[in-house]
Amino acid sequence: MIRALIRRLRPAAQPAPVPLPEPVSERGSPRDIGLLDAILDGWFRADSGELLKGFAIGADDTLLDVGCGEGVATLFAVRQGASVIFTDSELDKVRELARQVEAQSTRTNLGLVSNSLPLPLADGCASKVVCMEVLEHIDEPEPFMAELVRMGCPGAQYLLSVPAPVGEHLQKGIAPASYYQSPNHVQIFTPERFAALVEDAGLVIEHRQVNGFFWVMGMIFFWASERAAGRDLEGAVRDRIQAPYPPLMESWARTWQDLLALPDGPAIKQLLDQLMPKSQVIIARKPLQTASSTAEPLSGATPC
């Protein structure tokens, strides 16, 4: 049903951008429906090589994925033939991602366990820089953002995302207090503050969007289910929300799947995403500089 729904919601000439997890049941899990929701927002366009519409990755690119987590962006770039550099503060995540990258790529790649500033990377080492759902964890985001800009070569493109303030505020009172404490979310960015952070660092914004109503509600239902069951709510969210999902989350995923199948479903989704988004996304670019100011790229990385 999910594959059929993707075909209905996209032009017939375009294949689904990414394969859904196998096997796919008639009724998708929250993970399945979250993937479908992301595809409708322009993510994972394998047919055009765009991680997000407007952010294409090719074999000539070196992608730097800061705060890579499970490596969704890194593995997408590997499938496009790019060289990758990925960093995270958690050893287990870097080690597992390195294993997957090695199995899929013949390029020169690098995985680093680090949350320090500066990162041990050369100036201008990447032509594509991804930093998704990381800046909200940083006590001082301005120097962190400057470090991201340093590592992009002139003309490098950036894909950045942080939680939207509406969803963050709605979860207060039901999420545990630790959700808003280090090492979790210590910053809440208004759209204006997020844009200023990017522009003050010297980048030029090319595209902005919000998305993720599905996940705001999913998170709220997750917290409610955990509290009702008397379970401990401590721990990072991304590590806790996984199968088996609470029945309420499963029910919500089915409801969202049914909504997307309606003739007006995608239009309703867009309205709700604008009303109560989970994330805000910026695509930006580092301005071109004179040849004399171009830094030496990291050994093994493809220059811009």
Side-chain angles (χ1 to χ4, degrees):
M1 181 176 180
I2 297 175
R3 294 182 188 278
L5 184 54
I6 291 175
R7 287 194 294 271
R8 285 181 53 192
L9 295 174
R10 293 177 64 84
Q14 289 186 320
V18 294
L20 290 172
E22 296 289 356
V24 175
S25 62
E26 277 295 300
R27 286 298 191 178
S29 71
R31 178 186 176 94
D32 296 335
I33 304 307
L35 176 58
L36 171 60
D37 193 72
I39 288 170
L40 296 178
D41 289 322
W43 292 90
F44 311 125
R45 300 165 66 94
D47 52 335
S48 60
E50 294 168 294
L51 177 57
L52 176 65
K53 186 177 181 180
F55 191 85
I57 302 169
D60 292 335
D61 282 312
T62 294
L63 177 129
L64 170 61
D65 188 0
V66 178
C68 59
E70 295 179 354
V72 173
T74 291
L75 293 174
F76 184 91
V78 166
R79 290 192 290 271
Q80 308 313 309
S83 178
V84 294
I85 307 168
F86 48 97
T87 80
D88 200 275
S89 62
E90 298 184 37
L91 172 61
D92 289 347
K93 285 186 168 55
V94 174
R95 180 183 290 157
E96 171 58 21
L97 183 53
R99 184 190 65 78
Q100 295 182 63
V101 168
E102 183 178 0
Q104 299 181 41
S105 175
T106 58
R107 301 290 303 275
T108 299
N109 304 298
L110 177 65
L112 292 172
V113 179
S114 178
N115 61 356
S116 62
L117 291 177
L119 282 167
L121 295 170
D123 295 355
C125 63
S127 58
K128 302 287 180 179
V129 179
V130 172
C131 185
M132 296 191 291
E133 310 298 298
V134 173
L135 289 163
E136 67 274 14
H137 297 263
I138 306 301
D139 289 324
E140 297 183 36
E142 289 78 13
F144 189 92
M145 192 70 215
E147 182 70 351
L148 294 181
V149 173
R150 177 187 72 80
M151 293 180 290
C153 65
Q157 200 174 27
Y158 288 71
L159 177 58
L160 310 164
S161 76
V162 296
V166 174
E168 291 291 272
H169 289 305
L170 280 173
Q171 291 177 77
K172 286 188 174 180
I174 195 167
S178 61
Y179 184 64
Y180 298 100
Q181 298 170 359
S182 183
N184 297 310
H185 295 194
V186 297
Q187 305 284 346
I188 295 180
F189 291 92
T190 64
E192 295 77 15
R193 184 188 175 202
F194 186 28
L197 177 69
V198 173
E199 292 176 330
D200 290 349
L203 301 181
V204 178
I205 294 175
E206 297 182 333
H207 171 74
R208 300 183 68 175
Q209 72 179 60
V210 294
N211 46 251
F213 175 87
F214 169 77
W215 278 116
V216 174
M217 296 304 299
M219 296 281 289
I220 290 171
F221 291 150
F222 172 77
W223 296 127
S225 298
E226 295 293 281
R227 283 189 179 275
R231 286 190 283 268
D232 180 13
L233 292 178
E234 300 304 316
V237 173
R238 65 182 180 180
D239 296 328
R240 291 181 58 84
I241 301 183
Q242 52 187 298
Y245 303 99
L248 181 56
M249 283 192 72
E250 295 277 9
S251 177
W252 167 238
R254 293 193 296 269
T255 297
W256 195 247
Q257 183 176 345
D258 289 342
L259 180 144
L260 294 177
L262 296 173
D264 293 333
I268 294 171
K269 166 192 154 51
Q270 289 181 4
L271 290 170
L272 293 175
D273 279 345
Q274 293 293 323
L275 175 70
M276 198 166 75
K278 174 66 173 70
S279 294
Q280 46 186 333
V281 183
I282 287 177
I283 296 175
R285 191 175 296 275
K286 186 173 182 177
L288 291 171
Q289 302 173 8
T290 61
S292 61
S293 65
T294 303
E296 183 71 18
L298 179 72
S299 175
T302 303
C304 293

